[in-house]
Amino acid sequence: PETLVAEAEASDKQADLDVAVTAVSGMAAGAAKTALNVRVVAQQSLLITNATTAVALAETSSNYKDRDAALVLENALPASATKTQLVTRLADIATAVENVRPEKALANAEASDTQADLNYAKSQIDALAGSGRKDGLVTAAAAQQLVVNGLATTAVTAATTQAQVTAALALVDALIEGAVKTAQLTALATKQKALDDAAIALVVAAEADDLQASLTTAKTATDLLKAG
């Protein structure tokens, strides 16, 4: 039980605390159980505080991501008057959160600079009826697409090692289809071939001189290559 309580304290997850509570409840009465119960109560108080803080953030930001995060914490809590209050507070802001979902989705995309978040923002913007609001968001989303394209292009340009090529490829693969993605995939293919050729040359050299040092160098180089 003590290990389970410690794990719950470390993870700050209600599920872990629930497991610990069950284990502690099964202990025989005594000083050890009393001490663990004190820790359990303190941890439950912390989790309630965390959920309450998350709800307050969602109320302030009206960001669907903050509300979703608060819902996860609130839903996990055991039944109580405090939980009921949190449920009500989150329900009260549901409409306000939905009303600004497109704006918040774009703000999230601008903060993360990821194609995935931008794709979601675009889907929310596309769903809007034609208006000046939608036009402004479309323009802003297009500007953010240029930012995401630029980050991927910069990563490709700077890539010289297998790790860097692999990381750049992940960014490029996520891009929307188009000339930028096609050009960067071509550039990466060239860089990958150069890495492959260099590794092959090391293997050939190792076979020729039959030295352990050369073999080790060749193996290191080939191990770093992407599978394929």
Side-chain angles (χ1 to χ4, degrees), residues 110-180:
E110 291 170 336
S112 70
D113 285 335
T114 64
Q115 186 68 56
D117 280 348
L118 183 55
N119 289 344
Y120 179 74
K122 287 180 177 180
S123 73
Q124 296 302 303
I125 294 168
D126 288 344
L128 293 173
S131 64
R133 173 195 181 195
K134 180 174 184 176
D135 292 343
L137 290 172
V138 167
T139 299
Q144 181 59 23
Q145 185 64 66
L146 293 178
V147 171
V148 173
N149 289 350
L151 290 172
T153 300
T154 297
V156 172
T157 301
T160 57
T161 67
Q162 183 63 63
Q164 291 170 338
V165 168
T166 300
L169 181 59
L171 295 178
V172 175
D173 277 342
L175 294 179
I176 58 173
E177 298 301 323
V180 172

Side-chain angles (χ1 to χ4, degrees), residues 22-97:
T22 299
V24 173
S25 296
M27 294 176 65
K33 181 175 183 177
T34 299
L36 289 178
N37 270 326
V38 169
R39 291 168 62 184
V40 163
V41 170
Q43 184 62 18
Q44 186 62 73
S45 178
L46 174 62
L47 296 183
I48 291 172
T49 297
N50 289 347
T52 303
T53 299
V55 171
L57 175 60
E59 291 171 329
T60 301
S61 73
S62 293
N63 193 313
Y64 62 91
K65 283 194 173 183
D66 292 335
R67 185 173 183 274
D68 289 347
L71 277 169
V72 170
L73 296 180
E74 169 266 305
N75 285 334
L77 294 176
S80 69
T82 298
K83 178 173 181 173
T84 300
Q85 292 172 355
L86 295 179
V87 169
T88 300
R89 288 170 63 181
L90 287 174
D92 287 344
I93 66 171
T95 299
V97 168

Side-chain angles (χ1 to χ4, degrees), residues 147-215:
V147 171
V148 173
N149 289 350
L151 290 172
T153 300
T154 297
V156 172
T157 301
T160 57
T161 67
Q162 183 63 63
Q164 291 170 338
V165 168
T166 300
L169 181 59
L171 295 178
V172 175
D173 277 342
L175 294 179
I176 58 173
E177 298 301 323
V180 172
K181 181 173 185 175
T182 299
Q184 297 312 310
L185 285 174
T186 299
L188 283 173
T190 299
K191 293 199 172 195
Q192 185 63 62
K193 185 177 186 307
L195 290 171
D196 293 344
D197 289 347
I200 291 171
L202 288 173
V203 171
V204 171
E207 291 173 334
D209 63 28
D210 203 25
L211 294 176
Q212 183 61 51
S214 297
L215 181 59

